[in-house]
Amino acid sequence: RRVLEEWNDTAAEVPRATLPVLFEAQAARTPNAVAVISGEVSLTYAELNARANRLAHHLIALGAGPEEFVGISLPRSEHTMVAVLAVLKSGAAYVPVDPGYPADRIAHLLTDAAPALLITARDVLSRLPEGDGGPALLVIDDPQTVRALADRPAADPTDADRAAALLPLHPAYAIYTSGSTGLPKGVVVPHENVADLAAWAAAEFGAEELARVVASTSLNFDVSVFEMFGPLLSGGSIEVVRDLLALADGSCSGARAGIVSGVPSALAHIVAGGALRAGARSVVL
């Protein structure tokens, strides 16, 4: 009874809503609160929402929509969060492609997931596979793209704008496993599962700890979903850093965060070396 019933009593009320709806509701509640910090750049909820909306409308015009995949291969910055939210707002699911991965790994992800479009940046282009047959590229910092986005509306996209209605069971992202038993395999996760995770995070940690979360995990690992949507659906802010070593090299702000997360081996290495230069109320391993 303890194992099968008591320990397994995990039923919980979860919002039956998509991630764009949940994020837009939070942005409406706290428009002037800081949502994303990256180096010297900070975006409020209103600013992040408007930038994501412009990119989402552009993606919709390029054919993105529910049950489609859009790749994201960007250096870690505020642009990463804008791209993730924009893909979700378009109705499509994002496929993270870490630009630091080896060329053959990147080629496999793009071939297997076959996204119709890949959001990237000029300094990443040299790391992407060459030749025909790959996804169309949307270079986010290309002057032509910048001009096009400026002409797109800043209003929230609705189902009237999308190719089809966006539902909670539609895919939100596809993350590839480490491939420990062969080639990496894509795992597709729907919106309602992420909403469930965010609701758990809000109940487990509360608004105070989610008020400042260090986002150090590559989008190619599912911990990044916790780091992004735990705070952003609760009115908190995320500080996007290059990786966990930012806690030691000074590139993290150094302010006391609510939450820092990472694999135990990496955190242990930083602590053992006496290089830790940031604090947190909670450490999630």
Side-chain angles (χ1 to χ4, degrees):
R1 184 179 186 280
R2 177 174 296 174
V3 173
L4 297 180
E5 296 182 24
E6 293 179 20
W7 290 352
N8 201 39
D9 183 14
T10 59
E13 290 294 325
V14 178
R16 290 282 301 171
T18 64
L19 295 176
V21 166
L22 295 172
F23 174 75
E24 288 156 11
Q26 183 60 58
R29 288 192 293 269
T30 57
N32 298 319
V34 173
V36 176
I37 301 164
S38 177
E40 300 298 318
V41 177
S42 67
L43 297 177
T44 65
Y45 273 83
E47 291 168 335
L48 176 60
N49 194 45
R51 286 180 57 171
N53 285 341
R54 293 185 189 278
L55 179 53
H57 283 289
H58 194 60
L59 293 173
I60 291 169
L62 294 175
E67 300 188 2
E68 300 286 346
F69 291 106
V70 173
I72 298 177
S73 187
L74 292 170
R76 293 181 60 76
S77 72
E78 74 279 5
H79 298 295
T80 312
M81 283 311 312
V82 171
V84 167
L85 287 169
V87 173
L88 294 170
K89 283 170 171 280
S90 76
Y94 71 90
V95 180
V97 181
D98 194 317
Y101 275 179
D104 58 347
R105 174 77 173 237
I106 292 176
H108 171 70
L109 296 186
L110 294 178
T111 300
D112 192 65
L117 187 67
L118 178 67
I119 302 173
T120 188
R122 286 184 290 183
D123 61 355
V124 177
L125 291 175
S126 62
R127 305 177 216 173
L128 300 177
E130 298 181 356
D132 299 330
L137 301 181
L138 178 62
V139 183
I140 206 72
D141 53 353
D142 182 272
Q144 185 175 350
T145 303
V146 173
R147 289 192 296 270
L149 293 179
D151 292 334
R152 297 295 182 187
D156 297 331
T158 67
D159 284 343
D161 301 303
R162 301 183 186 104
L166 178 59
L167 305 174
L169 277 172
H170 272 134
Y173 64 83
I175 283 182
Y176 277 72
T177 66
S178 60
S180 55
T181 59
L183 286 174
K185 293 167 279 292
V187 178
V188 181
V189 175
H191 285 249
E192 69 174 15
N193 287 35
V194 183
D196 187 7
L197 174 68
W200 166 82
E204 181 73 20
F205 296 102
E208 187 174 2
E209 294 190 34
L210 290 172
R212 183 70 171 267
V213 175
V214 177
S216 62
T217 305
S218 165
L219 291 187
N220 279 78
F221 292 93
D222 55 3
V223 175
S224 66
V225 180
F226 162 73
E227 293 176 347
M228 290 187 294
F229 290 105
L232 287 181
L233 300 186
S234 299
S237 65
I238 63 175
E239 181 176 2
V240 181
V241 296
R242 186 189 67 253
D243 53 36
L244 203 59
L245 292 177
L247 301 179
D249 66 13
S251 57
C252 189
S253 69
R256 188 173 185 86
I259 294 174
V260 166
S261 66
V263 294
S265 56
L267 281 168
H269 177 75
I270 294 171
V271 173
L276 191 63
R277 297 173 63 180
R281 291 174 58 88
S282 292
V283 177
V284 179
L285 301 176

